[in-house]
Amino acid sequence: MTQVSAETAGGGDSPESATGDRTAIADFGIDTTTVSTAEAVRSYLARVRGGEIGSLPALLGLVVLIVLFTSLSDVFLSLNNIANLLAQGAGQTIIAMGIVYVLLLGEIDLSAGTASGVAGAVLAMHYVDNGNLLSGMGSTVFFIFNGLLVLAAVLAALLRIWPGVAMSLLGVLITVVGFHANPWIEILLAVCVGTAIGCITGFLISKIGMPSFVVTLALFLAWQGAILQLIGEGGVLGISSSHVLDSVANGNLSVLWSWVLFVVGAGGYGAVTLFGHFRRRSKGLVTQPTLLVVGKVTVLTVLAAVATAFMSVNRSPSPLIKISGVPYVVPIVLVLLVVGTYVLNRTTYGRHLYAIGGNREAARRAGINVTQLRSSVFVISSGCAAVGAIVYSSKVGSVDPQAGGLNTLLFAVGAAVIGGTSLFGGKGRIADAVIGGTVLAVVSNGLGLLRQPAAVVSVVTGLVLLLAATVDALSRRRAAASGR
C-alpha cells in the first residue's frame, strides 16, 4: 500500500488530515496499489460471477469443438485443413470486425453483407472490363453509380467525416479516369465503394434519425438488386486469373517472411505489454502481477511459434508442388485486429464509442458528438465489409449475384456476438469477432469434413448463435443484479 503523508499549512500533521488521507487511499487505492497473483485471480473470478464473462464461453466452446472434431476426423488437424480453415473464415471475420463498432452503440447493420457484395462486384467488373466501367455498366448505371459516390462525399462532408469524403471522391476519380485493370486499383476501388455506402447509411441513421434496423434492411434489399444489375442473372465475373487477387486468400508468405511476421507480431505484443506493465508499476499504478503478465506473453509467444513452425512445413500432397508458409489472410486479419484494438482502447474516439453505447443521452450531455460518431461506425462497418469481400472473392475466385447474400451477413453478426460483443451496446472488442469467426469456421469446416448436409450445418450454427445470445442476456442480468 502506498504511503501518503499529509501536510498542514504549518508543515505538521493533524488527525484531521491523516483521516482525510486514509479516506483518499480508500477511495483511490485501486489506482495506486499493487495486487498479488492470488488477489488478481480472486478478482477475475468475482467479475465472472458478477456477469463479466467476456469471450470466455466462446473460448471454452472453441476448445470443445476442436477436441470433438479432432476425435471424429483424422483430417481436421492436418496442416492443409488448418490453412484452409484460416482462409475459409477470414472473409466473414473481417466483416464481423466492422460490425463490432456498430454493435458497440446498440445499433445493427443488416446491409453489411450485400454492401460487401456490391464492392466485390465493382472490383470484379473493373478487372474483367479492363477498367472501362462505362462499357461494363452502361451509361445510365455508370452515371447513377458515380452520382451516389458524389452524394456519399457530400453527406460525409456534412457530418465532417473527412476520410469518407476522400475515399468517395477517390472512387469517382478511379471510375471516371478509367485506369486499366490493376489488382491494387481494384482493391482500392472496392474499399472506396464500401466506404461510400457506409457514408450514405450513416447519414440516414444518425442525421435523419431513421432506425438502423429499417434503414439497413432496406439497403440490404437495394444493394442485392444492385449486385444483380451489375452482374446479371446467372452471371459470374472471374478474378482468379489475377495472381494478386487470387493470392489474397489462397497465397502464402514465404517461410522467411512467416518467421519475420512471428518476430514482429509476437515481439511487438510482448514489448508493448511488458513496457506498459513496468511503466505502470514505476508510477505506482495498479496493474496485474508481473508473473501473470509474463506468463500471458510467454504462452502467446509459444503458441505463435508453434503455429508458425507448423505452417512452415511443406503441406502439399504432391511431391511436385511445395506449399508452405503462413497464409496471407493471417497478417491481414492481424493488422485489422491491432489497429481496431488500438482505436477502441487507446483513443478518445474509442472511449467515446463505449460511452455512447453505455448511455447515449449521458454521452450527448457530456459534449460528445453523438451524431457524427453514430454515422462513423457505419462507415467503418461498410469499409471492413469491402475488405471482407476482397478476401472472400479471392477465396472462391469469382463474384456472382449471390455475393454477400445468403449466410454472409448472418455469420458475420453471429461471429461478433458469439465472441462476446453485446447486442445491447457498450460491451465488445475487435478480438471478439476473431474468436467468434474462428468458432463458426471450425463448426462449418468440421461438419463439412464429417460430410454433414447443409441442413445440419445451419441448425448447429443457429444453435451456437442462440446459445451465445442467451449467455449475453444472462450475463447482463447477472451484472445488473450484482451492481456492476
Side-chain angles (χ1 to χ4, degrees), residues 250-275:
N250 301 303
N252 305 286
L253 296 170
S254 66
V255 173
L256 173 62
W257 280 105
S258 296
W259 284 105
V260 169
L261 175 65
F262 161 74
V263 172
V264 173
Y269 171 78
V272 170
T273 302
L274 293 175
F275 175 77

Side-chain angles (χ1 to χ4, degrees), residues 173-267:
L173 177 65
I174 293 174
T175 57
V176 171
V177 172
F179 293 98
H180 291 298
N182 181 293
W184 300 108
I185 293 294
E186 272 96 58
I187 290 173
L188 180 59
L189 178 59
V191 177
C192 290
V193 171
T195 303
I197 289 174
C199 293
I200 296 173
T201 306
F203 185 88
L204 293 174
I205 293 170
S206 65
K207 199 70 173 178
I208 304 300
M210 300 170 65
S212 60
F213 180 88
V214 175
V215 171
T216 56
L217 177 60
L219 291 178
F220 170 87
L221 299 173
W223 301 139
Q224 185 68 69
I227 298 170
L228 288 171
Q229 176 64 41
L230 293 174
I231 300 179
E233 292 279 359
V236 176
L237 299 177
I239 60 173
S240 58
S241 57
S242 168
H243 174 71
V244 173
L245 294 178
D246 179 68
S247 297
V248 171
N250 301 303
N252 305 286
L253 296 170
S254 66
V255 173
L256 173 62
W257 280 105
S258 296
W259 284 105
V260 169
L261 175 65
F262 161 74
V263 172
V264 173

Side-chain angles (χ1 to χ4, degrees), residues 103-232:
L103 295 180
L104 281 176
L105 301 191
E107 306 282 0
I108 190 67
D109 187 0
L110 299 177
S111 65
T114 50
S116 73
V118 172
V122 173
L123 174 149
M125 180 171 285
H126 190 278
Y127 174 74
V128 171
D129 294 327
N130 195 28
N132 189 358
L133 288 179
L134 176 60
S135 173
M137 293 181 174
S139 58
T140 301
V141 175
F142 180 80
F143 288 120
I144 292 175
F145 174 73
N146 281 281
L148 289 175
L149 290 178
V150 173
L151 174 63
V154 172
L155 298 181
L158 292 175
L159 292 166
R160 293 186 297 173
I161 302 177
W162 306 120
V165 176
M167 295 299 288
S168 299
L169 293 180
L170 181 58
V172 174
L173 177 65
I174 293 174
T175 57
V176 171
V177 172
F179 293 98
H180 291 298
N182 181 293
W184 300 108
I185 293 294
E186 272 96 58
I187 290 173
L188 180 59
L189 178 59
V191 177
C192 290
V193 171
T195 303
I197 289 174
C199 293
I200 296 173
T201 306
F203 185 88
L204 293 174
I205 293 170
S206 65
K207 199 70 173 178
I208 304 300
M210 300 170 65
S212 60
F213 180 88
V214 175
V215 171
T216 56
L217 177 60
L219 291 178
F220 170 87
L221 299 173
W223 301 139
Q224 185 68 69
I227 298 170
L228 288 171
Q229 176 64 41
L230 293 174
I231 300 179

